[in-house]
Amino acid sequence: MTINTEHIKAFVRKYYHYLGINKQQEISRLLFEIAKRERIDYTKVTESLPKPPTRFSKIKDYLLERRYPSLAVAGQGIRPALFDVAIDPKLKMDVALKPQIQPKNLFIEDSVFHTEMANRVRTHFPESTVERIKTYKEHVGKRRFGIEDYNRRLENFYLVREDYDFFKKCPCSSKSVFCGYFVVNLGSGCPYECSYCVLQDYINSPGIILPANIEDFFAAFRNLGRNIRCGSCELTDSLAFDHITGYSPQIVAFFRSYPKTMYELKTKSDNVGLLTSVPGARNVIVSWSLNPQKIVEAVEHFTAPLAQRLAAAQRCVASGYRVAFHFDPVIYYQGWEADYEALVDMTFQAVDAENVAWISLGALRMTPRLKKIIENRFPDNTLLDEEFFVGHDGKLRYPKDVRIFLYKKMTSWIRRHGKDVPVYLCMEEKSMRLE
Ligand code: SF4
């Protein structure tokens, strides 16, 4: 059900004409969220609204109590974010059919035009138009790219020479638990459509960007001169394009010589064909972000089903790799406990704890800007119908007591199978404890 937010705003402007714009905005947002959450037309909600000229605080209290029952819990000191609501139907993402990865255009920077990787990609996409460009930067200029560009990102692939930010510290907020991780900037953009994905907000590009100079990453690692835990998963899925880029065998071959460095390939695919075509290295960790199959179907569009991710993990273990799992984002809903307990059990039935390098936990969170994007790209989502409040880092999060409950439950289920598997929290506040 797509809700017409312009109708809601027009109603509020007329009905509560004596209130200022910001107050009208908050009422419109609350009306929208109540109608969406209760699956009713907003006019049904308006039937029980306090009548004009009721004071704003009374109207807001009524709406908040209906939309955010947790606010009634004394002493939580929490607040929702009541920013402007505006749904543009043109921005809706069509997730009915899985798209083929078949770019219309391959833009290749001059300096990498004749590299092995560029040849490999050209051969993979014989029907794409190839355009030689000086640099990506010059090609896109100062243009800003919006949601409509993001929805069409698979049309354009850019093969570039990456020359900065090869390895950088994980961008956890300074108020969060530091995970000691370094992110490797090996590509940007993902073919999947997880409704909660941060890339929708983060990426300002008209396409998928793939570096064709992996040897420079290896040189940059040598220059770092120390052992780290790192992975190429901040701006992309580490394996979704692997059959096209051919990165993984090169990564394994290189990092095999640095056994004290952990290199993580994190994915929601089952694209492990190239990876398992070479002997595994114990310091190359292949990891999967996991959710119950019901969540995979509802919000992780076009990714591999849960059973296929676990089967891929088994193949990687059989090839000599260790694996890791990220129960992140854990999504809270009625009945989540049974689904997530079964998920943890399935995971350890697929892979023995001794082959699991680590597990991370993180509850669903988002910036207010990302929430707006999700509302527009996935207007039928139910993710946003839960209660989110402004957290320690300005992101919208479940209430703290809910997050503690999620983490403690998840940890207790994990501990039944793996007493010594390292478990850590991702992007959580420092005061949060697991066990
Ligand atoms: S797999 Fe990861 S990067 Fe890709 S859409 Fe999902 S969350 Fe985003």
Side-chain angles (χ1 to χ4, degrees):
M1 177 176 78
T2 303
I3 299 174
N4 189 321
T5 50
E6 288 314 305
H7 288 175
I8 294 181
K9 290 199 237 189
F11 165 81
V12 172
R13 271 197 304 273
K14 198 165 163 200
Y15 198 60
Y16 292 125
H17 56 88
Y18 55 97
L19 298 177
I21 288 178
N22 291 342
K23 289 174 180 166
Q24 289 180 351
Q25 175 181 302
E26 292 195 357
I27 293 173
S28 297
R29 168 148 291 278
L30 284 164
L31 272 176
F32 163 76
E33 290 196 8
I34 291 168
K36 179 172 175 303
R37 183 173 148 108
E38 296 181 10
R39 313 260 179 286
I40 54 177
D41 193 82
Y42 85 93
T43 52
K44 289 266 171 256
V45 189
T46 61
E47 285 169 7
S48 51
L49 275 178
K51 301 216 174 337
T54 306
R55 282 202 331 269
F56 172 66
S57 58
K58 282 218 150 170
I59 305 166
K60 185 171 171 182
D61 283 350
Y62 166 76
L63 290 167
L64 280 176
E65 201 180 317
R66 187 158 167 185
R67 168 62 183 93
Y68 289 99
S70 291
L71 276 176
V73 179
Q76 288 225 37
I78 51 180
R79 66 185 167 87
L82 302 178
F83 45 84
D84 186 35
V85 61
I87 308 296
D88 179 350
K90 287 202 302 295
L91 304 181
K92 182 175 177 176
M93 181 64 205
D94 181 3
V95 288
L97 265 189
K98 183 170 179 162
Q100 291 295 313
I101 302 182
Q102 175 54 62
K104 281 189 191 153
N105 306 302
L106 281 181
F107 297 101
I108 308 179
E109 286 188 351
D110 259 342
S111 66
V112 295
F113 197 82
H114 293 296
T115 55
E116 194 190 323
M117 152 100 170
N119 289 337
R120 183 183 169 97
V121 177
R122 274 196 297 263
T123 310
H124 197 91
F125 297 121
E127 287 165 27
S128 303
T129 304
V130 176
E131 187 176 330
R132 196 164 169 154
I133 58 174
K134 196 161 170 219
T135 63
Y136 168 82
K137 227 172 162 176
E138 188 187 89
H139 183 75
V140 299
K142 290 201 165 50
R143 275 181 292 157
R144 302 283 310 165
F145 297 96
I147 299 179
E148 283 171 280
D149 301 296
Y150 188 80
N151 288 350
R152 293 196 303 266
R153 66 195 180 282
L154 287 179
E155 292 179 8
N156 303 313
F157 274 41
Y158 291 85
L159 303 189
V160 302
R161 173 175 297 282
E162 184 59 61
D163 51 17
Y164 71 104
D165 269 358
F166 292 115
F167 291 87
K168 59 178 187 181
K169 272 190 180 172
C170 175
C172 308
S173 123
S174 58
K175 292 179 188 160
S176 302
V177 184
F178 176 54
C179 55
Y181 199 83
F182 282 74
V183 289
V184 183
N185 184 17
L186 201 54
S188 124
C190 178
Y192 305 139
E193 285 293 356
C194 303
S195 312
Y196 52 73
C197 180
V198 294
L199 299 189
Q200 307 168 86
D201 179 21
Y202 206 72
I203 284 190
N204 176 31
S205 163
I208 304 296
I209 302 176
L210 300 169
N213 57 325
I214 195 169
E215 63 287 351
D216 292 335
F217 285 76
F218 299 147
F221 172 78
R222 279 193 215 96
N223 289 340
L224 263 184
R226 59 186 166 124
N227 292 308
I228 54 174
R229 191 166 76 93
C230 61
S232 47
C233 46
E234 188 197 12
L235 296 178
T236 185
D237 179 291
S238 303
L239 291 177
F241 297 119
D242 197 50
H243 57 299
I244 301 165
T245 63
Y247 289 152
S248 70
Q250 299 176 70
I251 290 169
V252 177
F254 179 81
F255 282 100
R256 196 188 296 286
S257 309
Y258 297 91
K260 290 193 174 150
T261 280
M262 304 285 165
Y263 192 101
E264 181 179 17
L265 295 152
K266 182 173 164 191
T267 189
K268 285 196 183 92
S269 76
D270 60 350
N271 196 13
V272 296
L274 278 184
L275 201 54
T276 54
S277 69
V278 296
R282 296 295 280 174
N283 61 320
V284 174
I285 314 296
V286 196
S287 72
W288 279 266
S289 168
L290 297 181
N291 256 312
Q293 179 57 24
K294 155 195 304 187
I295 297 294
V296 173
E297 281 164 26
V299 301
E300 295 179 350
H301 309 289
F302 314 143
T303 61
L306 172 64
Q308 288 178 27
R309 291 184 212 175
L310 292 175
Q314 285 177 316
R315 292 205 293 284
C316 286
V317 168
S319 295
Y321 297 99
R322 281 188 301 158
V323 294
F325 298 107
H326 301 279
F327 297 110
D328 187 0
V330 176
I331 291 168
Y332 181 61
Y333 54 90
Q334 190 95 44
W336 79 276
E337 273 186 81
D339 293 347
Y340 278 89
E341 184 177 9
L343 172 67
V344 172
D345 290 346
M346 277 175 79
T347 304
F348 283 100
Q349 274 153 22
V351 176
D352 287 339
E354 68 198 32
N355 287 308
V356 179
W358 57 74
I359 287 176
S360 78
L361 298 176
L364 179 63
R365 64 235 171 237
M366 72 206 78
T367 59
R369 226 172 59 169
L370 178 56
K371 181 175 174 180
K372 269 189 164 182
I373 294 172
I374 299 170
E375 284 170 348
N376 274 280
R377 297 191 73 231
F378 304 97
D380 303 323
N381 78 79
T382 53
L383 278 184
L384 301 179
D385 295 343
E386 279 304 326
E387 296 180 74
F388 294 90
F389 299 99
V390 181
H392 65 288
D393 51 1
K395 287 184 186 154
L396 303 175
R397 295 171 176 272
Y398 298 129
K400 193 166 176 179
D401 54 348
V402 170
R403 277 143 57 212
I404 292 172
F405 179 60
L406 295 176
Y407 297 142
K408 286 200 183 300
K409 281 283 180 189
M410 290 295 291
T411 310
S412 70
W413 298 326
I414 292 166
R415 287 291 171 241
R416 277 190 215 148
H417 301 278
K419 285 198 171 24
D420 302 320
V421 176
V423 180
Y424 67 93
L425 289 175
C426 188
M427 297 204 177
E428 259 301 353
E429 57 189 289
K430 284 178 178 157
S431 60
M432 193 70 85
R433 293 282 173 271
L434 270 178
E435 290 167 288

